[in-house]
Amino acid sequence: MDKISINTLGKYVSEEVTIKGWLYNKRSSGKIKFIVLRDGSGYLQCVYFKGNVTPEVFELADKLGLESSIAVTGKVKAEQRAPGGFELDATGLELIQESVDYPITPKEHGTEFLMDHRHLWLRSSKQVAILKIRHRIVKAIRDFFDNKGFTLMDPPILTPAACEGTSTLFETPYFDLGKAYLTQSGQLYAEAGAMALGKVYTFGPTFRAEKSKTRRHLTEFWMVEPEVAFNDLNDNMDLAEEFLEYVVQTVLIDKAEELKVLERDTTKLQKVKCPLPRISYDEALEILKKNGIDFKWGDDLGGADETIISNQYDKPVMVHRYPSEVKAFYMKRDPENPKLALAVDVLAPEGYGEVIGGSQREDNYDLLLSRIEEHNLPREAFEWYLDLRKYGSVPHSGFGLGLERTVSWICGLDHIRETIPFPRMIYRITP
Ligand code: 4AD
Ligand code: MG
């Protein structure tokens, strides 16, 4: 027989079952002991009546510490008021391993303490809800592209050169070949894939040796990057907004329970529907000016600027056509104004900032070569990339969505560190 998990108890009402898990919580009132069992699929209140069980079981129910691993046996009862809708009229309790003095208690702990105990903190109900929502977001991302005929393509993680600028590279020695770098983005390889398969997406870990100590930055994060042959910047924005709507609306429907555990106010998320507002960088500067910010044309938008801009809208806003100086070497210039790059960033509402960055790519060999030289990038490492502009070059575009920024926004979290099981940040590499 399959092991019974708490989230399938509806099939076993009035039957006797045994469930294995961990002691999440307990309380007692005289002749009754309550144990809340968790098994990863849900929570189950198990009720031990003194008269119904042996004295040994009753005593064990009383003395066991939080997170002891146990097997409980009893009859399943429908109970509206219980979390999950069922309760166990318990008769048996078997100890698997006793947990004594579990370090995380219902009292408030500081962030550093919780981060040091991340391997245990993952067991608490909010962290479980976040991990489940993260998983659902990952699946929604894959479903969206799979259903649209994209091919998933896995780019290398060890790479010979920078993709997003040289200042944030992690490097490692690489045998007799010199140095290798942890990838900042799969994009350049996705471009090769788009020329082979038409529509591809990469989805994997990426790395930035960023010194930023903000609530939006990790040094290791996951990014999904679609890349489409023959798409221009407008097509790219169409794809990005349809994609965001799908991911957010799917998660709202499918993970309503978990969002409730996080006490997420979902009214703003409900509004993430196409079309999303599109403004140019110049229009964004107008907004900043109206809000009393003295912003120099040509600078990149900072986190605080993004918040002011996105606060003007109740949906994510797309900002396009940034000064090419602040953007990556591979972005195509706007034919109407070569000072601008055909770039787009999508800024999430509620102060969550940039969740998507993308662009139309430079598809002309000579222009791309001069960009590589202007950025002092090693030409040898980019010969293969230049080849894509030599043999059947076509207009093409794509974007990258940061998974953890998206989880943070959808879950309504204060900090990105809770969106990934074991976060890597400038001051943390353990556990
Ligand atoms: O804007 P970025 O740097 O764009 C690229 O890497 C392009 N190659 C994408 C493409 O066009 N294929 O990064 C894309 C997204 C950002 O919008 C943000 O959501 C996330 O990746 N991101 C980070 N997330 C967490 N921590 C960091 N340090 C991040 N840096 C970028
Ligand atoms: Mg960006």
Side-chain angles (χ1 to χ4, degrees), residues 164 208 327 345 354 356-358:
E164 294 297 322
R208 306 269 169 107
K327 290 293 183 188
D345 279 1
E354 180 197 330
I356 285 180

Side-chain angles (χ1 to χ4, degrees), residues 164 168-170 182-185 206-211 218-221 223:
E164 294 297 322
T168 64
L169 284 172
F170 282 111
L182 294 182
T183 188
Q184 297 162 313
S185 153
T206 51
F207 305 84
R208 306 269 169 107
E210 266 177 299
K211 296 250 161 66
L218 295 166
T219 55
E220 175 179 327
F221 64 98
M223 185 160 38

Side-chain angles (χ1 to χ4, degrees), residues 356-376:
I356 285 180
S359 67
Q360 186 169 335
R361 321 306 188 186
E362 183 50 73
D363 49 27
N364 177 279
Y365 182 93
D366 295 323
L367 291 177
L368 183 60
L369 179 57
S370 59
R371 295 288 125 68
I372 288 172
E373 284 165 354
E374 275 163 35
H375 283 80
N376 292 319

Side-chain angles (χ1 to χ4, degrees), residues 106-132:
K107 75 161 201 244
E108 286 278 310
H109 295 285
T111 302
E112 280 310 297
F113 178 87
L114 289 171
M115 291 303 291
D116 286 341
H117 293 83
R118 183 68 179 158
H119 50 295
L120 302 176
W121 188 24
L122 290 177
R123 303 178 186 194
S124 57
S125 59
K126 280 197 174 172
Q127 300 307 315
V128 166
I130 294 168
L131 288 182
K132 289 195 174 186

